[in-house]
Amino acid sequence: MNKAPKLRIICPTPGSRHIAEKLVASGQFDLELWQRPKTIAQGVRTGLSAGQPILAVCAIGILIRVLHGQDLGAKKHGLSIIAATEDGKILIPLLGGHAGTNRLAKHLARILGGTAILTTASDQTFALALDECPKGWHLEVQPRVFSKFMQTLLEEREADLSQAPDWVQSSAIPHRSGARLKISWQLGRPYADELPSSTRDHLVYLPERRITIGLGCARNCPSGYVTDLLHKAEQRLGIRFSHPAFASLDIKETEPAFAEIAPKMRFFSSTELQDIPVPNPSAVVQDEVGTPSVAEASALALAGEGATLVLEKIKNHKATLAVALAKNPLPEQETAWPGRPRAVLKIVGLGPGSPDLMAERALRALEEAQVWVGYGPYLDQARSMGAHGDPQLLAFALGGEEARCCAALDAAAKGQQVALICSGDPQVYAMAQVVYELVARHPGRLEWQGVHVETLPGITAMHALAAKVGAPLGHDFCAISLSDLNTPWEAIERKVQAAAYADFVIGFYNPRSQKRDWQLPRALEILRAHRPADCPVVFGRNVSRPDEAITVTHLSAFDPCAIDMFTCLIIGASFTRRYKETVYTPRGYQLS
Ligand code: SAH
């Protein structure tokens, strides 16, 4: 993702530092301070060449001298310089006014309690900057085309505003129907055109967050039917949708096609939809789902009061679609949109411990979640691994896995974004299977059936340990948990026997605790009967955590007392090799 460049503040005098302090305190900027009085020129030049916007608290004369002879290369490089007086009361954009510097200067002035003095002509003549749209509008235009339009507007002092956005119509620009210059708005970019729609005679604005699309579909409808309708809708309206907001009926929350096409879809109940007046109500739909309209009604419900349906229901064999236009833009934050988000439960693997061994996707899921559920120390670990946000925490004690998973499903069923946190990988002796099993066992719990469950993988302890010593898992391997809390010991022993006989490398989890101290010696007894005395054994306590301890030894020297519940253990196959402190299991290549 592209980050906005840091605002460079040149504060050469002690009297000007309060400006930087105020801006820092506002928390709205990523700032870089340049305080060296003797090198203002250097500060400006390096900032410009790095494409940074610059706020220079110094005389305009100094800046003019610094800029003299510089290749400013017109405005296309996005140069942005604002001069400010030492008291921060006056800010004057010098370069890049129409490319965002005016807007930045006004914003800074608001924070500093000062005034931005704009010298660009449109601001003077029409008390309006046509390239600074109010929230909810977007002008897609090349800077040169915009300058040309403005030049003509300043000469002709009139434009046809009959189809202009209301904030342009109420400006000081004189309106005349049929004038050469035209300002209008349209739903989206023209369907067949790749270029911005504005020209030197015609400025076109696009509304943001105003188009809502209502979708309906048959159960398990392939996503192609929905994309087909989206293309048809674009053709009918003659535009391309850009980030439209999607809505549907809540019983459609788990439709895979919707999750794929509209991950941020909003959902409404049939009660919320049934009374919305629509042009194409259907008695069949009413009988099936309790509301006479899904696509049209949900598009209108999401668009809110005063919305208009701009495309009535269209359909193919398996899906329906309708498009509405909201009167006002939807809030920037999706959480404030009407309806509810899809109930989502992400089962997140933290990896073995070190933050850089956690998948980026897992970190994102933690940050997006409104609720974290898990064993208390895992929640602390998730926080210490750099996941920000302010989630509600549902911390559980050790054990009680089922209660943890029920709590996570219940929270998700309320429409919350939930992360159920596991160490390592969520499928390896952890929570994922419990969640899937609970959902499968309770088909009657409709609220759980509607939850979209997703597993986010993590690096499991066995892999993290193996990587520390080389490649002990280089050929066939298996994992066995020695915990007989939920599995009868006979079943575990059978697997150890079979793995020993089949000559798998074995990773042992939950190898030994204070109460369960005889299981590991028994497993070793079985293995010693099948493997040589010098068979490599590797164990790691708290792998990838600050107090990590890794040991490489062999079967006859291995003492199970060195093992506890924070340890993962790998026992090599009969042909696993040790070389110095590394261990590898050959895969049978005939290496020379
Ligand atoms: N889901 C976890 C495993 C949970 S079972 C994973 O995929 O790693 C708990 C067992 O995992 C512990 O008894 C221990 O055997 C092992 N374990 C988990 N994290 C570990 C680590 N950082 N170092 C060593 N062993 C670990």
Side-chain angles (χ1 to χ4, degrees), residues 112-145:
L112 298 172
T115 311
I117 299 195
L118 310 184
T119 55
T120 34
S122 60
D123 298 272
Q124 289 305 303
T125 315
F126 305 122
L128 171 84
L130 283 170
D131 56 344
E132 286 179 25
C133 307
K135 272 204 163 115
W137 289 95
H138 174 65
L139 172 66
E140 216 180 30
V141 67
Q142 286 160 332
R144 281 170 196 285
V145 173

Side-chain angles (χ1 to χ4, degrees), residues 369-390:
Q370 297 158 304
V371 184
W372 287 2
V373 185
Y375 172 48
Y378 293 164
L379 304 189
D380 298 339
Q381 190 183 335
R383 177 75 74 203
S384 71
M385 288 169 92
H388 306 299
D390 186 20

Side-chain angles (χ1 to χ4, degrees), residues 159-178:
D160 184 339
L161 306 182
S162 38
Q163 280 152 44
D166 45 4
W167 56 275
V168 178
Q169 285 185 350
S170 59
S171 74
I173 301 173
H175 160 67
R176 185 176 67 79
S177 249

Side-chain angles (χ1 to χ4, degrees), residues 351-353 378 422-430 458-462 508-511 540-545 564-569:
Y378 293 164
C422 306
S423 81
D425 181 88
Q427 295 182 64
V428 180
Y429 311 119
I459 294 176
T460 186
M462 175 171 68
F508 284 110
Y509 285 75
N510 302 312
R541 188 174 194 275
N542 282 331
V543 178
S544 99
R545 296 183 185 140
D564 66 8
M565 279 299 277
F566 298 99
T567 311
C568 187
L569 174 71

Side-chain angles (χ1 to χ4, degrees), residues 78 181 219 225 241 267 395 485:
L181 296 183
R219 187 86 205 120
Y225 286 91
F241 295 129
F267 295 91
L485 295 180

